């Protein structure tokens, strides 16, 4: 049951008066938004309240747009909410009984409005605010209203941006008056009253996923080189650098973070993924504590220290979604060292990598991507028996239908992108989820939604059984150098007029999945899939050479095009199977990549062809190459130099864990 808030959305005097702007549009309808002058706003709120008697049970119902960090009586409680669109916005429910005392209490909240158009949050929309109710033993003792005090947090200023306008790099000034804003005795006499946000249009729902967990990671080594300290935390994590320092007022410690080292042993802060993690910490002259707000993915940190500055208690505060592993490596692989190491790499990536969403990478983009996210989320479900992240991906994908019935690529954010294959992969995920969970009611709900998506494709793009004139990008495989010369113009930002094999294979597969859902629900088939199959074979299949061509206007036969034809079983032809497997052998398994390797593994899982699966997974230049290149988390591809902007922590490749698990894969895939 949705909580009925007594509190009101509050903000400061400036942000409360801004009417929301619509940042949603189809990708090809280019809209350039002026820079938001209030971007990177750190807005604080405080309120003192009295509890007359001992509290047995207390809950806080809280949310903020874009984000909050909550403190009670000087203690950190938690942060959130998980990203969502404003019309189905999340609030958190937290048991705060251990944080309250009889007598005077202080609630303090650090809220953030990022203001950038990116893949992280639905931001840049002028919406900011805090909303909360604190309920103790059934009585509301505090609600967000004009009795709250507010002030900007002046410790945070920007040092530029990282990634694809992903985050502001931080200069943290310990001289700011607000450094200890959460402390009960903090002097807030110069703060002003909060204002009621005038244009609230949020639709609220209790967050269905859990809140983040935090762990303190100590460095495994600390190296002193002249004026700097270099720290190694033993593996890539997602989180924040923390430390204490003393020095003169105005002393500046330069902070570098990175996923790897340079040849000279320094920290490679100008990273492969096009993030340069260079930040600063200005000291006050006393004992200062570094309190970074936004997170990064990093293994190494370097601190450049002015003369006379001393630092202590340096650690990495790692954040991640709760993870409890329930399934293990297949018994027959237990003695295979390569399989074991790959499995451990993937499990660790899932454990420390999943955040409030299934982000593709935690550095350059921090994007909740629909396509590759289907594989990552389902691997998480198989590993943990917790389907919360899979449900979030499914639900949030469908919630984007207000932008386009065909759904968008990056969910819960203000960045507008449409990749044609991704909503079609979702059909697979919905079916897999049902086969593992047995939740027929959820399947029934999602069957209707997938049907609407496929109706959109059918009405907008299908002619004579083929998809054509696509006004959404067909990625096929990424990066481009792994497309094996795919001979169709699929350039992003342009309409692809030519029918081609990859998108039509995905479309056929999605229709097959929907028909299987209909069968499970006792419904009539969605449509006759053989009509599409015949159109595809007539357009792209060479029955003499047993090969699929890329498009209707070319005789080029690429590896990706034939991967999809084989993986989605477009033709029941033993000669084609042999022809494809010869092509794969010729090109090499390492020429499959982000989007071709997983459909292949799914087919072999259905057939229980474990030898073929092992051959791809254990190939010396796929996951084993990551390990040779000292991976502690899965890369964005097989090696560090496979892309021009490789993230060394990318969730997609961790999904191979689901094919190594001790589970009935045939029944699922």
């Amino acid at each position: 049951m949705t909580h009925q808030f007594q509190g009101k959305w509050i903000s400061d005097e400036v942000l409360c008066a801004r009417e929301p702007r619509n940042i949603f549009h189809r990708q090809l309808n280019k809209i350039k938004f002026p820079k938001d002058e209030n971007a990177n706003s750190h807005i604080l709120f405080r309120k003192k309240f009295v509890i007359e008697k001992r509290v047995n049970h207390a809950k806080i119902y809280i949310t903020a747009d874009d984000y909050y960090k909550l403190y009670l009586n000087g203690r950190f409680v938690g942060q959130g909410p998980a990203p969502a669109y404003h019309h189905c916005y999340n609030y958190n429910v937290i048991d705060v009984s251990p944080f309250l005392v009889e007598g005077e209490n202080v609630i303090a909240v650090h809220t953030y409005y990022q203001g950038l158009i990116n893949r992280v949050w639905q931001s840049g929309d002028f919406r900011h605010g805090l909303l909360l109710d604190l309920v103790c033993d059934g009585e509301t003792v505090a609600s967000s209203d004009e009795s709250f005090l507010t002030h900007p947090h002046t410790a945070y200023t920007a040092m530029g941006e990282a990634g694809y306008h992903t985050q502001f790099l931080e200069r943290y000034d310990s001289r700011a008056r607000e450094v200890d804003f959460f402390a009960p005795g903090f002097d807030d006499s110069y703060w002003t009253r909060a204002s009621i946000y005038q244009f609230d249009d949020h639709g609220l729902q209790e967050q269905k996923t859990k809140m983040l967990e935090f762990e303190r990671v100590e460095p495994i080594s600390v190296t002193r080189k002249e004026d700097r300290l270099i720290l190694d935390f033993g593996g890539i994590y997602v989180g924040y650098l923390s430390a204490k320092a003393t020095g003169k007022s105005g002393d500046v410690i330069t902070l570098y973070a990175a996923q790897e080292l340079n040849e000279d042993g320094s920290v490679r802060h100008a990273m492969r993924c096009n993030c340069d993690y260079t930040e600063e910490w200005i000291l006050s002259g006393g004992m200062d504590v570094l309190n970074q707000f936004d997170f990064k993915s990093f293994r190494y940190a370097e601190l450049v220290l002015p003369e006379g500055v001393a630092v202590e208690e340096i650690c990495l505060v790692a954040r991640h979604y709760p993870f409890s592993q329930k399934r293990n490596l297949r018994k027959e692989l237990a003695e295979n060292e390569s399989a074991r190491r790959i499995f451990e790499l993937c499990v660790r990536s899932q454990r420390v990598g999943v955040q409030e969403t299934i982000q593709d990478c935690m550095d350059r983009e921090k994007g909740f991507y629909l396509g590759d996210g289907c594989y990552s989320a389902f691997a998480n479900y198989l590993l943990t028996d917790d389907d919360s992240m899979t449900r979030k991906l499914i639900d949030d994908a469908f919630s984007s239908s207000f932008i386009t019935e065909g759904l968008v690529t990056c969910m819960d954010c203000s960045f507008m992108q449409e990749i044609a294959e991704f909503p079609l992969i979702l059909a697979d995920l919905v079916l897999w989820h049902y086969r593992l969970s047995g939740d027929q009611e959820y399947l029934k709900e999602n069957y209707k939604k997938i049907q609407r998506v496929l109706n959109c494709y059918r009405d907008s793009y299908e002619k004579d059984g083929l998809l054509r004139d696509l006004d959404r990008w067909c990625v096929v495989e990424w990066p481009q150098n792994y497309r094996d010369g795919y001979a169709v113009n699929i350039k992003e930002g342009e309409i692809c007029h030519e029918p081609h094999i990859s998108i039509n294979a995905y479309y056929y597969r999605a229709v097959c999945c929907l028909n299987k859902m209909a069968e499970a629900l006792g419904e009539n088939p969605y449509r006759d899939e053989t009509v599409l199959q015949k159109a595809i074979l007539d357009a792209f299949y060479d029955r003499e050479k047993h090969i699929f061509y890329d498009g209707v206007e070319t005789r080029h036969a690429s590896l990706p095009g034939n991967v999809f034809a084989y993986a989605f079983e477009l033709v029941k032809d033993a000669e084609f199977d042999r022809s494809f497997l010869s092509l794969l052998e010729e090109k090499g398994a390492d020429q499959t990549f982000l989007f071709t390797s997983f459909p292949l593994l799914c087919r072999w899982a259905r057939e229980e062809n474990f030898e073929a699966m092992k051959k791809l997974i254990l190939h010396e230049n796929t996951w084993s190459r990551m390990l040779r290149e000292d991976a502690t988390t899965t890369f964005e591809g097989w090696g560090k130099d496979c892309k021009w902007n490789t993230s060394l922590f990318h969730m997609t490749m961790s999904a191979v864990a689901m094919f190594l698990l001790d589970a009935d894969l045939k029944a699922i895939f």
Side-chain angles (χ1 to χ4, degrees):
M1 184 176 177
T2 303
H3 176 71
Q4 301 301 311
F5 279 88
Q6 294 184 32
K8 305 294 184 184
W9 281 92
I10 56 175
S11 187
D12 70 0
E13 186 178 15
V14 174
L15 298 179
C16 76
R18 302 199 309 167
E19 187 172 358
R21 67 177 176 183
N22 179 26
I23 44 88
F24 302 109
H25 57 90
R26 295 292 306 279
Q27 182 180 0
L28 295 189
N29 298 335
K30 302 290 186 184
I31 299 177
K32 187 172 179 60
F33 294 100
K35 185 178 180 180
D36 189 344
E37 61 185 14
N38 294 117
N40 197 37
S41 289
H42 292 260
I43 307 297
L44 304 176
F45 297 91
R46 273 175 60 92
K47 181 181 173 67
K48 297 177 182 177
F49 59 96
V50 174
I51 296 178
E52 300 289 355
K53 58 183 179 180
R54 178 177 175 273
V55 172
N56 294 312
H57 188 61
K59 284 184 178 180
I60 192 166
Y61 301 82
I62 182 170
T63 189
D65 195 341
D66 299 331
Y67 204 66
Y68 72 84
K69 294 187 180 182
L70 168 67
Y71 302 82
L72 277 170
N73 294 323
R75 296 166 61 193
F76 174 70
V77 177
Q79 60 189 58
Y85 295 113
H86 67 280
H87 61 83
C88 51
Y89 207 69
N90 289 313
Y91 64 86
N92 300 120
V93 183
I94 311 171
D95 182 354
V96 293
S97 308
F99 296 89
L100 300 176
V101 297
E102 286 185 53
E104 186 175 82
N105 291 261
V106 178
I107 185 169
V109 188
H110 183 167
T111 69
Y112 185 56
Y113 172 72
Q114 190 190 61
L116 298 174
I117 303 295
N118 63 19
R119 299 161 173 83
V120 184
W121 290 301
Q122 180 192 310
S123 196
D125 56 358
F126 298 165
R127 293 180 180 88
H128 170 264
L130 169 69
L131 176 67
L132 67 83
D133 284 341
L134 175 59
V135 180
C136 298
D137 295 330
E139 178 185 354
T140 302
V141 300
S143 293
S144 50
D145 58 21
E146 290 162 299
S147 67
F148 273 69
L149 298 176
T150 185
H151 198 275
H153 200 320
T154 61
Y156 297 89
T157 54
M159 292 184 63
E161 299 173 12
Y164 293 162
H165 307 294
T166 304
Q167 69 186 82
F168 286 99
L169 298 167
E170 296 172 2
R171 177 182 291 109
Y172 183 73
D173 192 342
S174 291
R175 299 171 301 180
R177 295 175 71 179
E178 298 79 34
V179 162
D180 294 322
F181 77 96
F182 47 80
F186 175 77
D187 178 11
D188 57 16
S189 60
Y190 65 98
W191 289 26
T192 59
R193 295 287 179 184
S195 301
I196 304 297
Y197 182 58
Q198 299 176 17
F199 299 100
D200 173 39
D201 58 354
H202 292 86
L204 295 172
Q205 61 182 12
E206 182 177 343
Q207 184 171 308
K208 299 172 185 175
T209 52
K210 304 179 186 75
M211 297 182 70
L212 294 176
E213 293 182 343
F214 301 86
E215 59 180 298
R216 181 184 175 95
V217 180
E218 303 292 339
I220 63 168
S221 69
V222 180
T223 305
R224 182 95 194 201
K225 287 190 175 182
E226 298 176 345
D227 64 342
R228 60 195 62 207
L229 292 176
I230 298 174
L231 302 102
D232 179 1
F233 293 99
I236 296 176
Y237 290 88
V238 180
Y240 322 90
L241 188 65
S242 178
K244 292 182 178 179
T246 55
K248 298 190 299 294
S249 178
D251 278 346
V252 178
I253 299 176
T254 302
L255 308 169
Y256 299 119
Q259 296 172 335
E260 58 185 325
L261 298 176
N262 292 310
E263 289 185 4
D264 64 359
S266 62
V267 165
R268 183 173 175 167
H269 55 88
M271 302 192 326
R272 296 174 190 271
C273 62
N274 292 345
C275 290
D276 189 332
Y277 286 149
T278 302
E279 298 177 300
E280 291 180 352
W281 179 15
I282 306 175
L283 303 184
S284 71
M287 173 61 78
D288 296 322
V289 178
L290 178 63
N291 187 10
Q292 296 189 316
F293 187 87
D294 208 346
F295 68 87
K296 300 176 284 291
S297 69
F298 64 104
R299 171 177 177 170
Y300 300 97
E302 184 173 337
L303 285 69
V304 182
L305 306 176
E307 186 178 354
V309 168
V311 293
E312 59 184 76
E313 297 184 30
I314 309 173
C315 72
L316 190 162
V317 179
R319 46 171 271 171
H320 54 79
Y321 196 71
F323 182 90
S324 179
Q325 187 178 338
K326 295 296 193 297
R327 289 188 177 89
N328 295 303
L329 185 66
R330 298 182 71 86
K331 293 181 178 61
E332 60 267 33
L333 294 174
E335 302 303 317
N336 187 307
E337 184 181 0
S338 293
R340 179 182 54 77
R341 292 184 66 206
I342 290 168
F343 184 70
E344 290 172 353
L345 175 70
C346 295
V347 170
R348 184 183 185 277
S349 300
Q350 286 275 336
R351 183 180 69 80
V352 304
V354 177
Q355 301 299 305
E356 287 153 312
T357 63
I358 294 281
Q359 295 182 351
D360 63 333
C361 66
M362 282 58 69
D363 36 63
R364 183 184 70 242
E365 295 168 344
K366 299 185 179 179
F368 189 16
Y369 272 77
L370 172 54
D372 34 349
C374 289
Y375 303 124
S376 306
F378 196 65
N380 186 267
Y381 182 15
L382 275 166
L383 283 164
T384 65
D385 272 343
D386 176 2
D387 70 346
S388 56
M389 273 293 142
T390 296
R391 284 179 180 260
K392 179 168 177 59
L393 188 145
I394 292 170
D395 294 345
D396 290 11
F398 287 132
S399 73
S400 75
S401 63
F402 76 99
I403 304 170
T404 167
E405 281 285 356
L407 311 183
V408 298
T409 295
C410 299
M411 298 168 288
D412 302 331
C413 69
S414 52
F415 181 77
M416 299 293 104
Q417 186 179 42
E418 298 172 55
I419 295 180
E421 296 97 328
F422 285 9
L424 304 177
I425 299 173
L426 184 63
D428 262 310
L429 181 63
V430 169
L431 185 59
W432 297 340
H433 178 271
Y434 167 69
R435 287 172 171 169
L436 190 57
S437 70
D439 190 336
Q440 196 162 56
E441 283 303 310
Y442 193 54
L443 176 67
K444 188 174 183 179
E445 173 189 332
N446 290 322
Y447 171 75
K448 296 174 182 176
K449 294 176 181 178
I450 288 286
Q451 193 175 49
R452 287 197 290 271
V453 172
L454 292 188
N455 286 343
C456 172
Y457 276 67
R458 187 175 187 174
D459 296 341
S460 301
Y461 310 117
E462 185 185 328
K463 183 180 179 182
D464 300 327
L466 296 177
L467 298 186
R468 63 187 75 217
D469 299 323
L470 282 149
D471 59 354
R472 42 181 54 209
W473 184 30
C474 298
V475 71
V476 178
E477 186 53 285
W478 190 251
Q480 185 173 345
N481 51 298
Y482 280 84
R483 290 183 187 151
D484 190 28
Y486 198 75
V488 178
N489 179 17
I490 53 171
K491 186 177 180 181
E492 185 176 13
E494 297 180 5
I495 296 175
C496 180
H497 295 288
E498 182 181 356
H500 60 99
I501 181 59
S502 295
I503 191 59
N504 280 284
Y506 271 111
Y507 185 48
Y508 169 76
R509 172 65 186 174
V511 170
C512 291
C513 287
L514 198 58
N515 284 342
K516 289 182 174 67
M517 294 179 212
E519 182 181 0
L521 294 168
E523 303 270 358
N524 292 325
Y526 167 64
R527 65 182 296 190
D528 184 358
E529 61 205 45
T530 63
V531 172
L532 298 179
Q533 184 181 33
K534 182 179 185 306
I536 292 171
L537 292 175
D538 290 346
F540 307 112
Y541 188 50
D542 188 322
R543 290 176 171 84
E544 293 183 0
K545 296 182 179 179
H546 307 289
I547 203 80
F548 281 83
Y549 297 122
D550 296 343
V552 295
E553 299 174 9
T554 179
R555 298 294 88 183
H556 182 267
S558 66
L559 178 61
N562 282 274
V563 164
F564 299 128
Y566 174 83
F568 302 147
E569 299 175 82
L570 275 168
V571 58
K572 303 294 185 183
D573 182 347
E575 285 297 325
F576 169 66
D577 289 356
R578 281 192 286 270
S579 173
F580 168 74
L581 294 173
S582 294
L583 178 66
L584 182 62
E585 186 74 25
E586 173 194 336
K587 299 288 185 180
D590 56 329
Q591 291 308 299
T592 63
F593 212 63
L594 288 172
F595 300 113
T596 46
S597 55
F598 290 101
L600 268 180
L601 291 167
C602 287
R603 170 165 176 174
W604 292 329
R606 290 193 296 273
E607 297 174 342
E608 296 185 300
N609 188 347
F610 297 115
E611 286 305 311
M613 292 166 64
K614 281 173 58 178
K615 191 172 182 180
L616 173 56
I617 295 170
L618 303 183
H619 189 284
E620 64 177 357
N621 287 323
T622 57
W623 283 269
S624 293
R625 177 178 169 185
M626 295 184 207
L627 292 169
R628 287 200 307 275
E629 296 183 11
D630 300 321
T632 62
T633 49
T634 46
F635 295 167
E636 188 183 12
W638 308 133
K640 292 180 177 180
D641 60 359
C642 287
K643 288 177 86 255
W644 68 94
N645 59 355
T646 303
S647 168
L648 301 188
F649 196 172
H650 197 279
M651 290 301 299
T652 306
M653 290 306 190
S654 71
V656 77
M658 60 188 175
F659 301 106
L660 297 169
L661 283 170
D662 193 6
D664 186 357
L665 301 181
K666 180 179 180 180
I668 296 168
F669 297 107

